[in-house]
Amino acid sequence: MTTYINYPALLIWQGDDELSFASDPASLKALRENVITEDDRLVDSQGVCWLSQDGGQHWQPSGQIMPLVQLVSHIQAHYAQQGQCCVGKIQFKDRAAAINSVATAPEN
C-alpha cells in the first residue's frame, strides 16, 4: 500500500454529495479551513482511500481502494447537486480523469 497521496485527489464529505478537489498538498492543506472529520474520506488518483487524522492535519491510508464505478457515482451525485443534467451518462476512463473533471466542471 502506498504511503503518499497521489494527486489529484477528492475529499468526499460524509453525509454530503459535495466534493472538494485537491490538486496538490497545498490545496489539500487549504481544505482544512473546513471541518474535516474522521468520517470524511480522501480518494487519490490511484483510488487509495485515506482517513483523516487531527482534522486533516495528517492522512493515513485506509487499506481500501475505491473502484472507479464507485468514484463515478460520487461524482455523478456531486454534479446532480450542482444542477447538471444527464449525470447518469457521465463516465471516465480512469480515476485521474474523473477527479480532474471536478476541478474543471462549470458551476451553475
Side-chain angles (χ1 to χ4, degrees):
M1 180 65 59
T2 184
T3 57
Y4 58 92
I5 297 169
N6 290 287
Y7 290 93
L10 283 181
L11 185 54
I12 300 173
W13 302 97
Q14 176 65 29
D16 192 347
D17 289 332
E18 182 178 355
L19 302 173
S20 295
F21 177 79
S23 60
D24 55 31
S27 60
L28 180 57
K29 184 177 179 181
L31 290 175
R32 292 194 317 231
E33 294 177 8
N34 303 292
V35 177
I36 298 175
T37 70
E38 62 187 31
D39 295 324
D40 300 324
R41 296 290 178 266
L42 186 72
V43 179
D44 72 14
S45 62
Q46 298 299 308
V48 176
C49 297
W50 297 81
L51 304 174
S52 169
Q53 297 179 331
D54 305 321
Q57 297 285 332
H58 302 94
W59 294 91
Q60 179 171 341
S62 70
Q64 298 177 325
I65 302 293
M66 182 174 288
L68 179 59
V69 67
Q70 185 179 358
L71 180 60
V72 170
S73 292
H74 282 290
I75 292 171
Q76 288 171 335
H78 173 77
Y79 285 159
Q81 179 187 24
Q82 291 182 335
Q84 300 289 328
C85 70
C86 307
V87 296
K89 295 180 180 181
I90 296 172
Q91 295 298 316
F92 302 97
K93 63 179 178 153
D94 59 40
R95 291 177 188 93
I99 291 170
N100 277 317
S101 76
V102 173
T104 60
E107 301 234 357
N108 285 347

